[in-house]
Amino acid sequence: GDWVDGVQLRTGGRKKYKINAFSTFLLTLGITCGYIWRNGPGAFTFIYDHWVGLVTAALLMSVAQGLAVYLASFRPGALLALGGNSGNPIYDFYIGRELNPAIGSFDIKSFNELRPGLILWVLADVSMVCAQAARRGGFAGVTDSLWLVLAFQAWYVADGLYNEPAIFTTMDITTDGFGFMLAVGDLAWVPFVYTLQARFLVFAPVELGALRTAGVLALNLAGYYIFRAANGEKNDFRNGRNPKNLQFFTTATGSKLLTSGWWGRSRHPNYLGDILMALAWSLPTGFATPITYFYVLYFGVLLIHRQRRDDENCEKKYGKDWETYKTLVPYRIVPYVY
């Protein structure tokens, strides 16, 4: 993979990252599809059948990673995260004491953010499809609702991995330390909580029909468009490009904040796209249980909490300029609502 520079660190340097998440995903998916083609859907139900054991292993690995990076952060020269050096060992272990823990050139945080959790998420969905196919006489018996969930989530993961450089401008990489919180999120939460819809549909199949399928598809596409367009504007602007000639506000510190395009409609328009897609992933399960809507409810709470935390950091950073910016872009996530 190619090597790219991350954003400038507060020490003045830049960390280099290898870009190969998408090719890793394609290789993994290719091997998986070949294995299923050769051996049939019943041969790839291992993830579905051994769910509890895999969740347990992921939690144990998260604890081990959290402890390892916490202890390694005490070595001389380690760059600490500003929010993870409180002196409280439990808090620092949880939130992440070191900003960019690494083994040589291997960056632990960026690897965890993209590869094991996201790729396993798709493999788990594929295992659910295989489990339903094994129960219903082959892939022809798989319901339209489960195919939708697989397509939506696989596309979301593929898009994230294909646009890997964009992650290096996010708060997880630039600001947050790597500790148990991110480890358990990447290794356990993402692949095993985000697949609840697919797991439910294995033992409670739902047939949507053409009309409901089209409605859910339209909602997901709308969310994806907002998510990708907003992130594209932000990533271009942060990298010194402004192809749409978007308006911006310059603070006293010299920072520039977008005030038009999607970022003129709200301060976090990408979160709106995320929430719409999350809802589209849950709707195919119907309304028989609230469990499959846990993801969209949790994600909404997570994004609102992140928005408030980001606004608090910006208020400290920009002072009165942040108040001026809020008058220019008054809505936080949903235009005219919140």
Side-chain angles (χ1 to χ4, degrees):
D2 294 331
W3 289 89
V4 302
D5 289 330
V7 299
Q8 188 173 4
L9 301 170
R10 67 176 186 271
T11 55
R14 291 178 183 268
K15 190 172 178 61
K16 287 189 173 293
Y17 298 93
K18 181 180 280 190
I19 305 298
N20 61 9
F22 186 66
S23 55
T24 303
F25 174 64
L26 292 180
L27 174 63
T28 306
L29 209 57
I31 293 172
T32 302
C33 291
Y35 180 80
I36 296 169
W37 179 269
R38 182 181 179 88
N39 300 290
F44 199 70
T45 61
F46 181 89
I47 299 175
Y48 176 79
D49 295 334
H50 296 82
W51 195 255
V52 175
L54 290 167
V55 170
T56 304
L59 288 171
L60 291 173
M61 175 61 78
S62 302
V63 173
Q65 277 199 4
L67 283 172
V69 297
Y70 175 73
L71 294 174
S73 70
F74 288 94
R75 72 188 186 281
L79 179 61
L80 304 182
L82 294 176
N85 188 25
S86 68
N88 183 325
I90 296 176
Y91 178 81
D92 292 347
F93 157 79
Y94 178 80
I95 207 72
R97 190 169 185 269
E98 186 175 354
L99 182 61
N100 295 305
I103 303 172
S105 62
F106 178 76
D107 185 77
I108 297 172
K109 183 164 66 172
S110 63
F111 175 83
N112 272 347
E113 284 279 304
L114 290 173
R115 290 164 181 78
L118 289 179
I119 294 175
L120 182 57
W121 178 5
V122 176
L123 293 183
D125 278 351
V126 172
S127 184
M128 305 306 169
V129 171
C130 289
Q132 195 187 80
R135 295 180 178 191
R136 294 168 63 90
F139 288 114
V142 176
T143 59
D144 51 7
S145 57
L146 186 51
W147 282 125
L148 269 185
V149 169
L150 173 63
F152 290 164
Q153 296 184 351
W155 178 263
Y156 182 83
V157 169
D159 178 78
L161 299 180
Y162 183 78
N163 292 283
E164 183 178 6
I167 196 177
F168 305 129
T169 62
T170 63
M171 189 165 57
D172 283 358
I173 299 295
T174 62
T175 306
D176 293 340
F178 182 79
F180 175 75
M181 182 183 74
L182 285 181
V184 77
D186 295 335
L187 301 179
W189 193 261
V190 168
F192 297 108
V193 173
Y194 290 8
T195 49
L196 280 176
Q197 300 95 334
R199 185 166 174 80
F200 172 79
L201 289 170
V202 173
F203 57 86
V206 175
E207 291 287 358
L208 294 174
L211 189 61
R212 288 192 292 176
T213 296
V216 173
L217 182 62
L219 179 64
N220 189 77
L221 289 175
Y224 175 76
Y225 173 75
I226 295 171
F227 173 80
R228 179 49 51 211
N231 278 333
E233 288 179 356
K234 177 187 71 172
N235 201 46
D236 281 341
F237 196 72
R238 284 187 172 179
N239 287 285
R241 301 185 298 270
N242 189 8
K244 296 182 179 180
N245 292 318
L246 300 175
Q247 297 176 359
F248 55 88
F249 169 70
T250 304
T251 68
T253 61
S255 297
K256 297 176 181 178
L257 304 175
L258 285 171
T259 57
S260 67
W262 283 104
W263 298 89
R265 294 180 174 93
S266 75
R267 301 199 288 271
H268 298 276
N270 51 337
Y271 292 178
L272 172 61
D274 255 330
I275 292 171
L276 292 178
M277 285 190 287
L279 180 60
W281 300 348
S282 300
L283 286 173
T285 64
F287 301 100
T289 175
I291 293 174
T292 54
Y293 288 85
F294 171 77
Y295 171 72
V296 64
L297 294 173
Y298 151 77
F299 208 46
V301 172
L302 171 75
L303 293 178
I304 290 172
H305 175 264
R306 179 171 286 195
Q307 167 263 308
R308 289 176 178 272
R309 187 168 58 133
D310 188 43
D311 282 9
E312 184 180 332
N313 290 335
C314 288
E315 188 173 3
K316 292 177 182 176
K317 182 177 180 180
Y318 301 123
K320 293 181 179 179
D321 284 335
W322 183 248
E323 296 301 320
T324 304
Y325 168 73
K326 288 199 296 184
T327 63
L328 297 172
V329 186
Y331 299 104
R332 299 178 177 99
I333 297 176
V334 184
Y336 307 106
V337 177
Y338 174 77

